Amino acid sequence: MTTEHRLGKELGRPGHSADVPPVLRIAPGTGERIAFQTDDAVYRELHEHGDLARLQAPLNPVTGPVYVEGARPGDALAVTIHEIRLTDTGWAMSLPGVGALRERMPDRVVTRRIPIDADGVHLTDAVTVAPRPMVGCIGTAPASGVASTVMPAHAIGGNMDVTDIAPGATVYLPVEVEGALLAIGDVHAIMARGESSFVAIEAEGTVVVSVDVVPGLALRAPRIATADEWIFVGLGATVQESVRRGYEDAFDAFVERGWDAMDAYTVMSALAHSELGGPTGAVDPDPLHPFDAIGAVTLHRVPRALLDGEPSPAAGDGAAAV
């Protein structure tokens, strides 16, 4: 029977920091699972009183952190998501001054409780959809300071709001401190790519993961492996810089596997799809406008068949079906 370590939502707090003592120590690669319970208290409060100034619960707390034995700076932490267990309630909201449609929505808090049951996620009385649970916020501790769990997204992860961080995916995170110090929060019952409102169908949930360490895999941004794709996360002060950095990381992955540079560039131009990621940006926001993103999170998708398995043949030799 697989061991499962349960971490309750009372262990959640905002921000990723090396100053927070670990609540669990675990050996990597054992198959043992960690169940991170996440919290939705801030949305329940807003639903009750609709006043941002009266909030007491933290926004986007992350549960943890977990110390992974043997994880050292310059390694990568591989976090495989096995399951996300939802409760019976989700939340949709419009917050004043927040989201892509702030000019179209009222200048006040508008909330909606979203029932979740065996029939699905009840977005409206007429629209019910199957849940697609995902993790909005996952990360390790930065070498110094505190990495926000609201915005921006960071090299170590944080609030990326990437829909692919879901059961079956493995998230690779840079390790900047001994033990990595993994923390997870911000579960969504379902979220459209981009999250136009900045508050998708937020929900309390339990994220069940296992962890491993990849020695010497020095990443400058997270990457995600799904059943079909490698997803390279780009982070930059402009959309263009974010796209370039994500493309560079994907290109380097080809070259490190023995691909000829022009072969890699040719294949990427045909098969590496790019898109905007979540709404959190990649640079600290203006403190007077803390929900206004600066920079961008971008995603760059490469078929796994191209990067997994045997190294590429020499330039111009052979063929691979994708």
Side-chain angles (χ1 to χ4, degrees):
M1 183 175 178
T2 302
T3 299
E4 182 174 294
H5 305 274
R6 182 186 178 278
L7 304 180
K9 61 184 179 181
E10 70 277 3
L11 299 173
R13 66 186 73 200
H16 295 278
S17 171
D19 293 332
V20 179
V23 298
L24 174 70
R25 299 175 78 98
I26 193 166
T30 63
E32 293 184 50
R33 297 188 176 184
I34 313 163
F36 293 80
Q37 185 186 29
T38 69
D39 197 2
D40 66 350
V42 69
Y43 305 107
R44 292 180 181 274
E45 276 195 36
L46 284 171
H47 189 64
E48 290 170 4
H49 56 62
D51 187 349
L52 290 166
R54 291 172 56 192
L55 282 177
Q56 296 185 23
L59 182 60
N60 275 13
V62 287
T63 300
V66 171
Y67 187 103
V68 182
E69 303 285 353
R72 295 179 174 82
D75 296 339
L77 192 68
V79 184
T80 298
I81 300 172
H82 298 283
E83 183 183 1
I84 299 177
R85 304 167 187 155
L86 299 172
T87 61
D88 62 358
T89 300
W91 305 98
M93 295 199 177
S94 173
L95 303 178
V98 176
L101 300 178
R102 67 187 72 180
E103 304 300 328
R104 302 294 181 90
M105 296 299 289
D107 190 25
R108 57 183 173 83
V109 176
V110 181
T111 71
R112 175 170 290 175
R113 180 185 177 276
I114 307 293
I116 303 171
D117 59 23
D119 293 327
V121 182
H122 297 261
L123 300 176
T124 72
D125 291 341
V127 181
T128 299
V129 296
R132 294 200 297 268
M134 52 157 284
V135 175
C137 197
I138 180 171
T140 55
S144 62
V146 178
S148 174
T149 49
V150 179
M151 69 165 54
H154 299 268
I156 52 82
N159 190 23
M160 295 184 287
D161 280 334
V162 175
T163 59
D164 302 276
I165 302 179
T170 298
V171 184
Y172 293 81
L173 300 166
V175 175
E176 295 189 2
V177 300
E178 295 285 334
L181 298 179
L182 172 69
I184 293 175
D186 188 29
V187 161
H188 301 245
I190 186 169
M191 188 191 91
R193 290 177 180 173
E195 195 182 24
S196 59
S197 69
F198 199 75
V199 183
I201 311 306
E202 312 284 343
E204 183 176 304
T206 299
V207 184
V208 181
V209 310
S210 59
V211 296
D212 207 347
V213 173
V214 185
L217 180 60
L219 303 177
R220 64 177 181 177
R223 64 184 60 169
I224 304 156
T226 68
D228 301 315
E229 295 177 318
W230 278 100
I231 302 167
F232 297 84
V233 177
L235 300 172
T238 63
V239 172
Q240 293 86 349
E241 182 186 16
S242 180
V243 169
R244 175 181 58 78
R245 289 172 64 87
Y247 277 148
E248 287 174 347
D249 288 351
F251 177 81
D252 290 345
F254 277 97
V255 173
E256 288 163 3
R257 287 162 172 79
W259 283 68
D260 169 80
M262 191 59 199
D263 281 357
Y265 211 8
T266 300
V267 168
M268 283 179 58
S269 69
L271 298 175
H273 298 285
S274 298
E275 63 189 38
L276 284 173
T280 59
V283 178
D284 287 329
D286 180 343
L288 297 178
H289 303 91
F291 288 101
D292 283 348
I294 300 176
V297 177
T298 56
L299 306 176
H300 309 272
R301 302 172 178 273
V302 176
R304 286 196 65 160
L306 292 171
L307 291 177
D308 292 356
E310 295 299 319
S312 169
D317 294 340
V322 176

